[in-house]
Amino acid sequence: MNEVIQLIRQHRSIRKFTNTPLTGEQIEAIVEAAQMAPSSAHMQPFSIIGVTDRELRKKIALHSENPWIDECGYFFIFCADFHRMMLAAGPDYQDKMSRNLNYSYFYQTSVLSAALALQNANLAAQSMGLGAVIIGGINSALPELDEWLDLPDFVIPLVGLAVGVPDEFPEQKPRLPRSAVFFENQYDRDLKVQVDKYDREIEEYYGVRTNNKQKVSWSGKFISKLDRDLPLGGYTQYVKSKGFDLK
Amino acid sequence: MNEVIQLIRQHRSIRKFTNTPLTGEQIEAIVEAAQMAPSSAHMQPFSIIGVTDRELRKKIALHSENPWIDECGYFFIFCADFHRMMLAAGPDYQDKMSRNLNYSYFYQTSVLSAALALQNANLAAQSMGLGAVIIGGINSALPELDEWLDLPDFVIPLVGLAVGVPDEFPEQKPRLPRSAVFFENQYDRDLKVQVDKYDREIEEYYGVRTNNKQKVSWSGKFISKLDRDLPLGGYTQYVKSKGFDLK
């Protein structure tokens, strides 16, 4: 097994860091790795904001209810970004371009490109012995991030990446059985038995880790998250307010 | 520099393959790498379809106007997938869950998760000496893919990954200057000078490669793509038809 596959296989999200800031070389290597990801038509429709200001990090951590944003060695925010392209196009082309960028397809393209860059960054960090966790919780501070980071139209903060020297070595969570995720030529709709078996496996996993206090299954976990009225109606409104009409 | 960062830095998309199919071990390693990517709340909201049927590959290649789909050693399709979770939740929870999945936020989450898995797969393939290219063009065959691959609601084919033994070694395309992509604490809106410089750099790059026949700049390239009325209005309709209302 080569070192790349080995690193990918030993992936764990790290949520406890020593009090060590990243070096300039480490930050540079992570950003360069992100930039080397492929993107549709070489558009590179993403940006990365490194948050070094202590007060700002504390504010974002507080608004996102996420302590790792403040406690990690370095905090990156990955954004979907078509602002740079609008700027490069210049006034003659901006009207028609912005009409096309209104399609949900381009929003999806920028999310996908940003995520490819993010995973390069994530793996580059891990390859240097650092730990990292991707943080979706910044979505509870979107208008605030716009203001604090001065984000223009067509720039949407998607997720954070908290990186640092790991101060824990958590167990790996079992994945879904391959046969429930990977299909040849045709989707297999008959997944209930496999998924139920996986539910028991995850229940067992959490049971062992928490001394049976939090014996929750895979589906139990997301049902508890999704079986209530989530206040997410504002998300699309926010995305639209930034110029992506999702039409 | 470690092997992981080295591999990431030498990335090139490969669009010419020898006539060699992937081995079972290679396919397995690529799928396992994809499954090891992190995902929000461990939902793993993506699926991978390997297309081995020759006729099917030809049909998809034809509809997507993309020959590599047929010519590569193995063709994967990465999908956003919440079907498995709906199945696991069972009838008691499906109503409320599907109302929540209607939010564009969850669609974005599944696109992002699928892309993290995709980049793991991409890098795993490259680490074994294979070449690969991500193919967005499958979006021109969405209703067809639904039928051909029997994709249920909440499963959306996002992009393809064509993998094979490389039969070319293209030059690397220069990336945007780091200072136009990576910011500390605050977005830098004053990017025009840097972006113009990059435009000249890309123009030069294409000029050298095509003997000045196709001397196109970075912005020139996407302007030619985006400065017309694109027929993408159906994309959101399709996404909505699969259960993601993007509300």
Side-chain angles (χ1 to χ4, degrees):
Chain A
M1 201 189 337
N2 66 57
E3 284 184 29
V4 177
I5 291 181
Q6 212 170 331
L7 184 87
I8 287 173
R9 285 198 192 170
Q10 73 193 29
H11 163 78
R12 290 141 165 88
S13 294
I14 298 296
R15 295 178 174 86
K16 196 162 182 276
F17 305 97
T18 68
N19 198 7
T20 320
L22 262 60
T23 67
E25 289 72 27
Q26 287 170 330
I27 297 164
E28 202 168 308
I30 291 169
V31 173
E32 182 175 348
Q35 286 201 259
M36 290 312 298
S39 69
S40 175
H42 204 47
M43 293 191 290
Q44 306 161 71
F46 65 88
S47 283
I48 307 168
I49 320 267
V51 188
T52 55
D53 183 282
R54 289 311 314 184
E55 285 315 302
L56 191 48
R57 269 182 52 185
K58 278 185 206 307
K59 278 200 288 189
I60 300 172
L62 201 69
H63 263 76
S64 313
E65 298 182 21
N66 199 305
W68 312 307
I69 293 172
D70 189 33
E71 292 164 8
C72 65
Y74 198 91
F75 185 62
F76 299 94
I77 294 178
F78 280 71
C79 306
D81 186 341
F82 278 115
H83 166 76
R84 201 167 32 230
M85 283 169 55
M86 290 290 279
L87 201 71
D92 288 354
Y93 299 102
Q94 281 170 353
D95 268 12
K96 198 166 271 182
M97 267 186 60
S98 93
R99 277 207 300 282
N100 279 319
L101 293 180
N102 269 333
Y103 289 122
S104 63
Y105 183 71
F106 282 103
Y107 181 59
Q108 177 187 299
T109 298
S110 62
V111 172
L112 205 139
S113 296
L116 298 177
L118 168 65
Q119 186 60 356
N120 266 9
N122 194 3
L123 291 172
Q126 290 175 44
S127 77
M128 295 185 289
L130 298 166
V133 61
I134 297 172
I135 295 174
I138 62 165
N139 71 20
S140 45
L142 293 174
E144 290 82 2
L145 286 173
D146 273 348
E147 193 196 318
W148 298 336
L149 309 175
D150 194 27
L151 303 180
D153 277 356
F154 291 110
V155 179
I156 308 244
L158 297 172
V159 288
L161 181 69
V163 184
V165 175
D167 198 18
E168 63 168 358
F169 190 71
E171 270 185 82
Q172 273 192 317
K173 272 199 276 262
R175 261 52 181 176
L176 280 159
R178 184 165 315 152
S179 59
V181 172
F182 176 57
F183 313 100
E184 279 200 328
N185 299 315
Q186 196 149 36
Y187 196 93
D188 177 7
R189 290 170 182 241
D190 194 17
L191 289 169
K192 190 81 176 100
V193 175
Q194 298 174 66
V195 159
D196 284 348
K197 198 169 153 235
Y198 180 62
D199 256 350
R200 299 292 82 74
E201 192 183 342
I202 289 288
E203 206 169 54
E204 182 68 24
Y205 166 83
Y206 282 120
V208 169
R209 280 181 84 206
T210 64
N211 230 338
N212 284 326
K213 269 175 223 148
Q214 273 204 303
K215 214 174 161 183
V216 63
S217 70
W218 178 64
S219 59
K221 212 179 162 200
F222 62 71
I223 286 171
S224 71
K225 191 181 160 132
L226 291 174
D227 183 39
R228 52 196 162 115
D229 290 313
L230 290 173
L232 278 170
Y235 193 77
T236 301
Q237 285 315 311
Y238 169 76
V239 171
K240 288 185 177 186
S241 79
K242 296 304 295 276
F244 295 101
D245 244 8
L246 304 185
K247 70 176 181 182
Chain B
M1 199 191 334
N2 67 57
E3 284 184 29
V4 177
I5 291 180
Q6 211 170 332
L7 185 86
I8 287 173
R9 284 197 192 170
Q10 73 192 28
H11 163 77
R12 289 141 166 89
S13 294
I14 297 297
R15 295 178 174 85
K16 196 163 181 279
F17 305 98
T18 67
N19 197 8
T20 320
L22 263 60
T23 66
E25 289 72 27
Q26 287 170 329
I27 297 164
E28 201 168 309
I30 290 169
V31 173
E32 181 174 348
Q35 286 201 259
M36 290 313 297
S39 69
S40 175
H42 204 47
M43 293 192 290
Q44 306 161 72
F46 65 90
S47 284
I48 307 168
I49 320 267
V51 188
T52 54
D53 183 283
R54 289 309 316 183
E55 284 314 302
L56 190 49
R57 264 175 63 179
K58 278 184 205 310
K59 278 201 289 189
I60 300 172
L62 201 70
H63 263 77
S64 313
E65 297 181 22
N66 198 304
W68 312 307
I69 292 173
D70 189 33
E71 291 163 8
C72 65
Y74 198 91
F75 185 62
F76 299 94
I77 295 179
F78 280 72
C79 307
D81 186 342
F82 277 116
H83 166 75
R84 201 168 31 231
M85 282 169 56
M86 290 290 280
L87 201 71
D92 289 355
Y93 299 102
Q94 281 170 354
D95 268 13
K96 198 165 273 181
M97 266 186 60
S98 93
R99 278 208 298 282
N100 279 320
L101 294 181
N102 269 334
Y103 288 122
S104 63
Y105 182 70
F106 283 102
Y107 182 60
Q108 178 188 297
T109 298
S110 62
V111 171
L112 204 139
S113 295
L116 298 177
L118 168 66
Q119 186 60 356
N120 266 9
N122 193 5
L123 291 172
Q126 290 175 45
S127 77
M128 296 185 288
L130 299 167
V133 61
I134 296 172
I135 295 174
I138 61 165
N139 71 20
S140 44
L142 293 174
E144 290 83 2
L145 286 173
D146 273 348
E147 192 197 318
W148 297 337
L149 309 175
D150 193 28
L151 303 179
D153 277 357
F154 292 112
V155 179
I156 307 244
L158 297 171
V159 288
L161 181 69
V163 184
V165 176
D167 197 19
E168 63 168 0
F169 190 71
E171 270 185 82
Q172 274 193 317
K173 272 198 276 263
R175 261 53 183 176
L176 280 159
R178 184 165 314 154
S179 59
V181 172
F182 176 58
F183 313 101
E184 279 200 329
N185 299 313
Q186 198 148 35
Y187 196 93
D188 177 7
R189 292 169 181 244
D190 195 15
L191 289 169
K192 190 85 176 98
V193 175
Q194 299 175 65
V195 159
D196 284 347
K197 199 171 152 238
Y198 180 61
D199 257 350
R200 300 289 83 73
E201 192 183 341
I202 289 287
E203 206 168 55
E204 183 67 24
Y205 165 83
Y206 283 119
V208 168
R209 283 180 82 206
T210 62
N211 232 338
N212 284 328
K213 269 175 225 148
Q214 272 203 304
K215 215 175 161 183
V216 63
S217 70
W218 177 65
S219 59
K221 212 178 162 201
F222 62 72
I223 286 171
S224 71
K225 191 181 160 132
L226 291 173
D227 183 40
R228 51 193 164 116
D229 290 314
L230 289 172
L232 278 169
Y235 193 78
T236 300
Q237 285 316 310
Y238 169 77
V239 171
K240 288 185 178 186
S241 79
K242 297 302 298 274
F244 296 102
D245 244 7
L246 303 185
K247 69 175 184 184

